[in-house]
Amino acid sequence: MPFSTCDLCDAHEDQLVAGSLAALPPIFMRFGAKQKFAGPAVTLKLFEDNGMVRSTLEMPGQGQVLVIDGGGSLRCALVGGNLAVLAEENGWAGIVVHGCIRDVDEINLCHIGVRALGAMPVRSVKKGGGERDVKITIAGIGIHPGDWIYADIDGVLVAKTALA
């Protein structure tokens, strides 16, 4: 689906004012071979434990975007090369991580889009803790399961409904 986050903001300025469309702050770095991706959000809330990330990415993605509230931790990575390959194979459109990733070279070869705060070589624990399909808050922006995520080189938008 062709789109530009700038054009979406311009066309839906009323939704920006009303709060049903929001732009995440420019804190995310771009990774993955897809510079642009969009889809409904599947949300995870966890901290320094990526067990639930794997179990979620093992499911069919059906063009959805996995949005991970990792608490903004910079101490370990929540997504690595193996998980990016899994996401690509299972049809996920992209991943947004309020935390870190690792295996950047491997992720950049995957045909998915990834946004994260940065790269960190230390892996997380894998206990499976966390919550799925709950409202999360990233940098002051609330994201509900099913909200639409639009990401390109200009930024990341969160919309309550699909935008035309």
Side-chain angles (χ1 to χ4, degrees), residues 49-111:
D49 178 348
N50 78 343
M52 188 173 280
V53 176
R54 173 173 288 283
S55 64
T56 301
L57 292 174
E58 287 172 343
M59 300 185 312
Q62 301 172 327
Q64 298 177 103
V65 176
L66 180 60
V67 184
I68 305 166
D69 177 5
S73 174
L74 303 176
R75 299 189 304 195
C76 65
L78 295 173
V79 175
N82 291 337
L83 292 182
V85 167
L86 189 61
E88 179 183 22
E89 289 173 349
N90 287 328
W92 291 85
I95 304 170
V96 177
V97 185
H98 189 224
C100 292
I101 64 161
R102 67 188 222 154
D103 303 320
V104 171
D105 287 339
E106 293 174 37
I107 289 174
N108 285 342
L109 293 174
C110 292
H111 193 68

